[in-house]
Structures are given as C-alpha cells and as structure tokens.
Amino acid sequence: MKMNTNIKTFLNNFDKYYNQKNSKKNKLSLQKDFKKIRKKFIDNNDYFLIIKNFESNVKKIKDKSIVFSEIIGTRLAQSKKGNKIQEVTPKISKLKKISKKKIKEKLRYHQTNLGGSIHSDGPQLNQPPKYIIMTCVQNAKKGGLSIITNAKKIFEFMKKKEPKHLRVLKKSFFFERRGFSFNNSNIFKKPIFEIKKNLLRFRYLREYIESGYKIKGKIINSEQLNALSYLDKALTNKKFKTQYKLQDGDLIIINNNILAHGRSGFKLENKKARSFLRIWVK
C-alpha cells in the first residue's frame, strides 16, 4: 500500500507531537486528521493500514505505540488482569512443558508459534475491539508472515454461492471466554457473522468455539461443522487474503469487525523470539 500525502503529513506531525510531548490542542488536531485517514483506509477500502518504519528504536517502540493508540481511540483490556498492551510472543517455557496436541487447549494463540487459525481478536468479549494495532518489535527469521483475510468479501460471496452455510454462521455458537471472567461464566453464545445497524461484525476463533462446546458438554452438529469447515477454507483462500512480512519497527492497524488475521508458523529461536506488541482499541 502506497503512503499518500495525508498520511505522511499526519505521521510527521505525530512524530513532532511525540518527541516534544506536545499540547492537548495538538492532540485534538491529530485526532481530527487521523479520523479522515481512518474513514478512507480503515473503515473503508482496504480496512487496514501499514505504516513502515513506525519506530526503529526498540526502547521507544512500546511507549510510542501507546501514544499512537491514544490518537485512534480508547484502549481495551486484553485479559482479566487488565493489561492494555500485550506482547505477542511465544511462551517458550510453557511450550516445552505441553504436548503438541494440548497447545491449542492450554494457551492463547498469541502465546504460541503456531500458524493458521485465521481469526478475529477478542471473540470472547461482548464488544470485541474495533481496531487492532500491531507493532513489530522483531519478526522471525523463518516464517511469521502476517495474513489478512477480508471477511466482508467472504460474507458477500457466501450470500450468492453458499447461503445455507451462511445461515448457519449467522446463528449463535458457544465461545469459550478464555483469558477473561464474566460473572463466573466462562462461555457465551454469539453469531460468527452479525449485522447491526447495517454494519457487519465478524467474530471467530475456531479453537474457542470447539472448547466452548466441550466446556458446555455439547456437540457441534454436522450442519455447524460443515459451515465451519467451509469458512476455514475460505479464510485461507487466495481470493480473500493477502499476506505481508512485516519488518522490525513496522506498525499495522486492522479493522477487526471486517478483517480476520493470522500468521504463518515460525521457527522458535534460542536467543530472541518473534515479538509483536498488540493494542485493542474501541
């Protein structure tokens, strides 16, 4: 994606604001400018935006990402502990203790080096984040490509070609509320595709659905399984997805209501693991 003039100007002004710890007035001006960019690129058109070389200084990258998120909106907690910035990196010590068959059950996706599992973030929340900010601190040498899939295009395709499967996916499924606790309930029911106020919301993480049914003691019926299998294939179909190898210091903003995302698997390295910073914004 080419960087247009408005984005360049915004980023230049943002760097000045960040480096000078500038005034509230300048922050409001930046928010107003970014709103135009957001409407064009993130709420329409591609539904994501990649900013190359957002910050090359590793010591500054976390703080700068937080300040940047404050321009976009309000940060959301990403676990019951309330952390609003999450390091997405494999928990190597835990991975060594868990069998490969149990990894998906015991760990959240961001704690592993697994690929696939194209999903939306926060499907276990009543109100998932609208935007995801991911800053690449260090990518893997082998693997670790970022995958972005347009769920809206899949929805429109299924309306024409697979309406039976779409009808199933518009009904509620059990989701495990992994990493969170809501009134002592660790599962709830929500549709995968949902239309509210004429806007589409996509909510999906296959492992959380499977574990939700297991916790509930229910069986995913054949109609549901067929629809989920069709969706999984569509999420990896070249017609609907793009992929990028983000470089150290790059930042990506994703519209979480419209886009699914994931990554290719990556090799664990002894000294430094693949590391991203993730922020959820409403």
Side-chain angles (χ1 to χ4, degrees):
M1 184 186 299
K2 292 182 179 180
M3 191 76 76
N4 76 0
T5 305
N6 289 338
I7 298 174
K8 285 181 179 178
T9 301
F10 167 80
L11 290 174
N12 286 334
N13 290 335
F14 173 75
D15 281 340
K16 291 177 184 177
Y17 169 80
Y18 175 73
N19 290 323
Q20 297 172 8
K21 303 297 182 184
N22 228 318
S23 67
K24 184 177 180 181
K25 181 180 178 181
N26 288 340
K27 181 179 179 180
L28 292 172
S29 178
L30 282 169
Q31 289 173 327
K32 184 178 179 181
D33 290 342
F34 188 81
K35 188 175 181 180
K36 296 174 184 176
I37 295 168
R38 191 190 71 210
K39 283 184 176 180
K40 183 174 181 180
F41 293 101
I42 310 171
D43 292 342
N44 288 290
N45 198 16
D46 296 304
Y47 299 103
F48 71 96
L49 179 67
I50 294 175
I51 299 173
K52 303 296 292 180
N53 196 29
F54 171 73
E55 178 53 63
S56 56
N57 188 326
V58 175
K59 292 181 180 179
K60 290 183 178 181
I61 201 166
K62 182 176 180 179
D63 181 61
K64 191 172 180 181
S65 297
I66 291 171
V67 174
F68 185 79
S69 70
E70 291 170 350
I71 301 298
I72 296 175
T74 303
R75 294 191 304 278
L76 295 174
Q78 298 185 47
S79 73
K80 60 184 177 183
K81 293 180 180 179
N83 54 305
K84 294 185 178 181
I85 183 162
Q86 177 67 56
E87 184 181 13
V88 179
T89 192
K91 299 296 182 185
I92 297 175
S93 60
K94 291 184 178 180
L95 286 170
K96 287 179 178 178
K97 296 177 183 178
I98 302 172
S99 68
K100 290 183 178 180
K101 291 182 180 180
K102 294 288 185 179
I103 288 174
K104 290 184 178 180
E105 292 180 23
K106 300 295 183 180
L107 297 178
R108 290 175 68 179
Y109 181 71
H110 71 259
Q111 297 173 324
T112 76
N113 66 323
L114 300 177
S117 189
I118 311 301
H119 64 284
S120 65
D121 268 15
Q124 70 273 56
L125 301 177
N126 287 324
Q127 187 77 25
K130 184 172 182 182
Y131 306 112
I132 307 164
I133 300 170
M134 297 279 286
T135 313
C136 178
V137 179
Q138 177 176 282
N139 213 331
K141 290 181 180 179
K142 294 184 179 180
L145 274 70
S146 297
I147 299 168
I148 302 168
T149 301
N150 193 314
K152 186 175 183 180
K153 287 184 178 179
I154 294 175
F155 179 83
E156 297 298 334
F157 180 84
M158 290 181 73
K159 272 206 302 188
K160 296 178 181 178
K161 301 293 184 179
E162 293 292 340
K164 289 183 180 179
H165 287 332
L166 184 58
R167 279 197 293 272
V168 175
L169 298 175
K170 289 169 74 176
K171 295 178 182 178
S172 290
F173 284 75
F174 288 113
F175 283 81
E176 180 190 358
R177 311 192 87 168
R178 192 177 301 183
F180 292 85
S181 179
F182 298 89
N183 299 321
N184 296 319
S185 174
N186 56 355
I187 56 170
F188 74 156
K189 290 186 81 174
K190 289 288 182 180
I192 292 170
F193 284 110
E194 185 178 20
I195 303 288
K196 279 193 171 183
K197 297 180 180 179
N198 294 319
L199 295 174
L200 176 69
R201 175 184 288 162
F202 177 72
R203 178 196 301 266
Y204 188 62
L205 206 166
R206 177 75 179 254
E207 287 82 0
Y208 287 12
I209 292 174
E210 291 175 345
S211 58
Y213 276 80
K214 187 175 181 179
I215 292 167
K216 189 68 176 176
K218 300 286 185 179
I219 296 174
I220 303 174
N221 64 44
S222 59
E223 186 181 48
Q224 291 172 319
L225 278 174
N226 289 336
L228 292 174
S229 295
Y230 182 89
L231 176 59
D232 283 336
K233 288 180 181 178
L235 288 168
T236 58
N237 191 311
K238 291 180 180 179
K239 289 193 296 186
F240 306 118
K241 77 169 187 176
T242 55
Q243 55 187 34
Y244 299 88
K245 180 80 171 186
L246 294 178
Q247 302 302 313
D248 300 357
D250 291 351
L251 178 146
I252 184 169
I253 312 166
I254 299 171
N255 185 323
N256 191 51
N257 286 344
I258 301 296
L259 300 181
H261 67 280
R263 62 178 180 237
S264 63
F266 59 93
K267 185 177 179 180
L268 290 175
E269 296 159 25
N270 292 327
K271 292 183 179 180
K272 293 183 179 179
R274 181 183 190 268
S275 177
F276 278 60
L277 296 176
R278 183 182 70 198
I279 300 175
W280 288 352
V281 178
K282 67 178 180 180

